């Protein structure tokens, strides 16, 4: 407990003094986000930017050919993928695809936690995206969007990174799996908010990073928080059975789930696996 408190104290003090080293977005994501904000950008120019990064190019092709976009003819080139996805969605999708590049470490224990965090993030994102895809088919006029939930779900737990980085900087003291998980639970929301602000994301993304695990915040209308929390329920992040049951009932009322047992079905599991394939 003393060690965990020491880590907490160090991180909070660094947040207060604005000296916490936050992860930076990969350069290609910054380029895509900047280009997407240019009103004069066209599909060919965007394709050229994306083509400079092989991993991002492959990711865009996976998204373009995924079941989510529902096209039978495969996109085989980056320009075809960009055309299919569209400029309005490219900004979020490209950022989401680049997030994995910040989950790196040279310490074995920290690497294990970073890998674990990334896998859990993809798992939750796959559920959230699948549910959003279904929700949008039934709710044509909702302000919610698939590209926003894609990015939101992949950054919702981004606050773990500085915590793990601090552990890496002091491996003899902090890189201990017996308490790291609890430190992450206590600190990651606040740190995640600091990261999203630092990256210039909207307050909506900051709210999601700060509050997705704070179940005192319960939106009355369907909200991105609901989809991320549904993913957390599916993957047993929330442990309290009565809490999970209450949330699932709430999501059926909002039309996010057809019924409380919907996510147990094989069809939904296959859908999630299909979405997950975009990120692995």
């Amino acid at each position: 407990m003393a060690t965990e408190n020491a880590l907490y104290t160090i991180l909070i003090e660094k947040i207060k003094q604005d000296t916490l080293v936050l992860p930076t977005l990969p350069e290609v994501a910054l380029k895509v986000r900047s280009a997407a904000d240019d009103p004069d950008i066209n599909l060919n120019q965007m394709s050229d930017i994306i083509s400079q990064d092989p991993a991002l190019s492959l990711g865009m092709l996976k998204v373009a050919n995924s079941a989510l976009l529902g096209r039978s003819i495969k996109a085989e080139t980056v320009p075809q993928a960009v055309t299919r996805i569209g400029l309005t969605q490219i900004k979020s999708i490209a950022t989401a695809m680049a997030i994995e590049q910040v989950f790196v470490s040279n310490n074995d224990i920290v690497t294990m936690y970073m890998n674990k965090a990334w896998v859990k993030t993809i798992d939750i994102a796959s559920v959230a995206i699948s549910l959003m895809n279904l929700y949008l088919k039934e709710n044509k006029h909702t302000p919610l969007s698939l590209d926003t939930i894609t990015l939101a779900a992949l950054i919702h737990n981004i606050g773990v990174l500085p915590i793990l980085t601090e552990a890496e900087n002091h491996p003899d003291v902090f890189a201990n799996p017996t308490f790291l998980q609890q430190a992450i639970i206590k600190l990651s929301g606040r740190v995640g908010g600091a990261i999203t602000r630092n990256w210039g994301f909207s307050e909506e993304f900051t709210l999601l990073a700060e509050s997705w695990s704070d179940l005192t915040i319960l939106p009355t209308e369907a909200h991105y928080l609901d989809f991320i929390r549904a993913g957390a329920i599916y993957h047993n992040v929330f442990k309290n059975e009565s809490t999970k049951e209450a949330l699932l009932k709430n999501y059926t009322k909002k039309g996010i789930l057809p019924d409380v047992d919907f996510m147990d079905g094989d069809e939904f599991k296959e859908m999630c696996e299909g979405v997950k394939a975009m990120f692995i």
Side-chain angles (χ1 to χ4, degrees), residues 110-164:
V110 175
T111 294
M112 177 188 74
Y113 270 88
M114 283 195 175
N115 290 340
K116 185 178 177 182
W118 179 243
V119 169
K120 183 66 75 174
T121 295
I122 293 175
D123 284 342
I124 291 174
S126 299
V127 174
I129 293 166
S130 297
L131 288 176
M132 180 62 78
N133 189 45
L134 293 170
Y135 182 80
L136 292 175
K137 290 177 180 177
E138 300 295 328
N139 299 270
K140 304 294 186 184
H141 303 296
T142 178
L144 305 180
S145 70
L146 197 59
D147 56 303
T148 298
I149 193 61
T150 299
L151 179 55
L154 288 173
I155 65 160
H156 79 276
N157 206 28
I158 199 73
V160 304
L161 290 178
I163 298 169
L164 293 174

